Structure formats: C-alpha cells, structure tokens
Amino acid sequence: MTNLITLQTIFIKDDVSIRLNKLDNHLKQIQCLLLDSNNNDVVKSLIRETMYFIEWIAPDIEFNYAFELANLGLFLTR
C-alpha cells in the first residue's frame, strides 16, 4: 500500500496533460502486450495501475471527460 501512496503522490504532482500522457502510454502498452498471452500478469498489473490513474485524473478534469474515463475504466475491467 505504501508503494501505491508513493505512486499517487508522484502522479498527482504532474500537470493533467502529463498524467493523461502517462495514461495513454499505459493503454498503448496494454494493447501491445495483449498480443501475447504470456503477458497476462503484466497486463493485469498495468490495467490495475491504469484504473488508479483514471481515478486520480478524474477530479481535475471536466465532468464529461471524467465520465468518459470512467467508462474506459469499466471497459478495461471486463
């Protein structure tokens, strides 16, 4: 849990545009790694971290964008 708190502390210090870029990079990594089923554990870890990123970005963006990110999070957990 301490690592998560540290990650959040570092993450939320960045500007929203940088946080969105980090989210985008995670999604690209997930997309690439999904091509090989040997990467399932890594993908699960990235998805979990991506869900936190979404949660930490949402309060700092417009409602409609936060809503879209929430929908993305629901899609990722399927």
Side-chain angles (χ1 to χ4, degrees):
M1 189 59 114
T2 303
N3 290 337
L4 185 59
I5 292 169
T6 302
L7 178 64
Q8 180 183 18
T9 302
I10 294 167
F11 186 79
I12 62 174
K13 285 182 181 178
D14 288 330
D15 186 65
V16 171
S17 62
I18 293 171
R19 288 186 266 166
L20 288 169
N21 191 29
K22 288 180 180 180
L23 175 63
D24 181 53
N25 288 336
H26 261 65
L27 294 171
K28 288 176 183 173
Q29 283 182 298
I30 291 167
Q31 183 180 20
C32 289
L33 291 169
L34 280 173
L35 299 174
D36 183 352
S37 62
N38 292 322
N39 297 323
N40 284 345
D41 290 337
V42 176
V43 169
K44 287 178 185 178
S45 177
L46 282 172
I47 288 174
R48 194 173 309 113
E49 194 169 87
T50 300
M51 297 299 295
Y52 287 119
F53 285 2
I54 290 170
E55 180 182 328
W56 298 334
I57 294 170
D60 297 324
I61 59 176
E62 290 182 33
F63 176 79
N64 290 339
Y65 296 123
F67 181 77
E68 291 299 322
L69 284 180
N71 285 331
L72 173 63
L74 289 174
F75 177 77
L76 288 172
T77 59
R78 290 184 187 173

